Amino acid sequence: MLPSFTPTHGLLLAVLSQLSTRLSCSSMANLDIPKIAIYFGTKTRYEEVNPHLQRDLLSVNTSVLRPPPTERCSPVHLTAVIRHGSRYPTAKNIRRILKLNQLVRTEASGPSRSSAAWLQDIRSRWEPWYTEDMDGQLVTKGRDDLHHLARRLATLFPSLLSEENMRKRRIRFISSSKHRCVSSVEAFQEGLQQHWRHHEFSHEVDDQLMRFFERCRSYVEGVENNRTALLEVEKFKHGEEMEGVRKKMAEKLGLPLDSLTPDLVEAAFFLCSYELSIKSVHSPWCFLFDESDAKVLEYKSDLKQYWKRSHGHMISSLSSCPLFHHIFRTLDKAGRPRRSTEASPEPASILVGHAETLLPLLSLLGLYKDQTPPTAINYHSQHGRSFRSGRIVPYAANLLLVLYDCSGGPRLQMLINEMPLQFPGLREDAPLYRDVRATYRHLLDGCNFATECEGQGSHGVGGRRPNTEL
Ligand SMILES: *[C@@H]1O[C@H](CO)[C@@H](O)[C@H](O)[C@H]1NC(C)=O
Ligand SMILES: *[C@@H]1O[C@H](CO)[C@@H](O)[C@H](O)[C@H]1NC(C)=O
């Protein structure tokens, strides 16, 4: 049976959640954040990317919306592709964490260089509280991530994520089938509900759109299940920089070097990240790593994302063609001129998925493509790289596409994690929509899932056959 909400209920709910927001805001302000927290790759908190949120999770800076000041413009549609919020480790990483803890308790008997308090804490006070059934589920902090994002977006786009649009069910919600994504979409809806005191929502599950990567055969065979495709990652894992980190950690813990595998080094680093992103604590495990160690481990994660989900292999980005076409079809519809008697277009489309959903799509759009690809041997020349997964796909990462109706024609602005970012080759923050379409002409006319992923026909991107899907 569905719970029925009376106005009193709604009010109570609103008061309660405001209270909890205040509490969590104030505890956040006091939180002692590890210095290395900006190097956690895909396990980075959203607040590390947008530090002003560490003071106020609801603060919104409307100056990020930048239609040209010389034209009259109003937003008519928002498409948001959002990653789920903070989550528990996957079962695989939980097993590694437990193994690491076991190792430190049983074998770390050797002389350690340090008698620091954090080491005592790890050895005698820290309790492994992770269990395998937590496997990747959204945590309370992850619900908050989406809840607060929804409230900020409702403040930023009051005419699109409006009470009326919600009441008339004109906003579309699509989620990946994974539990953490469904929970995220619900938390987002609760955020809107609190903003507008409205409470009837539904969503569609669509893995064809949000988990395209596991359905693209050429990707699964050529990259996912192909050990050679991630050779750079393997080489770096056993390379000079990672070896250095491993030796330092073994010494600090007083462990025999042989017992500490690169996977266990990474497990300790992840552990530090999880304790922060799940429990908002500065874990004693964090003291194992200084900033230079953290940068090496960040690079290891970035290499994996680059070669598995991004520019490393073309097929990774091409696997997102269905989502790409879906988004542009939605934008086309929303921007189409119409008579005043016609129904107005869909004001917003909220699509919730994974880092594995966003990275290929952003790569397909030509973003974060550095001149020199990151490899196992060029770590030292990659400090200035734009491809940093922690900046691009932290928890609750989002790609926002805002379509404006302007006096000079429709315009489109892109934001990544609520910060403006220009389309490749276009100089304006909100260029004409037709110029964006021209930039991606080759994809709009091609980028065919059947061709790229199932090897049907010989037409690649920019092939002569127009894409019948459009
Ligand atoms: C809002 O962002 C702009 C830059 O986009 C910055 O100049 C301004 O200080 C910010 N305002 C607030 C209140 O943070
Ligand atoms: C595996 O990856 C390598 C390197 O990218 C590539 O040359 C090879 O063709 C791939 N193998 C398969 C079966 O796709």
Side-chain angles (χ1 to χ4, degrees), residues 217-243:
R217 206 179 62 217
S218 312
Y219 169 74
V220 172
E221 288 172 7
V223 181
E224 177 101 58
N225 297 340
N226 178 357
R227 287 183 64 87
T228 12
L230 299 186
L231 205 57
E232 296 301 328
V233 188
E234 278 306 304
K235 281 202 236 162
F236 189 75
K237 190 166 153 184
H238 302 282
E240 185 187 336
E241 290 85 7
M242 277 293 287
E243 277 300 285

Side-chain angles (χ1 to χ4, degrees), residues 154-215:
T155 308
L156 206 49
F157 304 103
S159 64
L160 302 179
L161 299 175
S162 67
E163 197 269 337
E164 188 190 0
N165 284 337
M166 233 146 332
R167 190 160 26 86
K168 295 188 173 162
R169 294 172 162 264
R170 297 177 53 216
I171 298 166
R172 195 158 181 207
F173 296 95
I174 301 179
S175 172
S176 135
S177 63
K178 286 278 166 172
H179 194 282
R180 55 183 170 276
C181 296
V182 171
S183 303
S184 291
V185 97
E186 287 168 358
F188 189 96
Q189 292 171 333
E190 279 165 25
L192 293 182
Q193 166 186 330
Q194 195 186 327
H195 205 80
W196 299 117
R197 307 269 165 80
H198 178 79
H199 37 71
E200 259 184 71
F201 284 115
S202 58
H203 67 264
E204 304 156 49
V205 164
D206 189 338
D207 281 346
Q208 205 109 343
L209 272 190
M210 305 315 291
R211 293 180 62 79
F212 50 76
F213 42 91
E214 63 188 10
R215 290 164 187 236

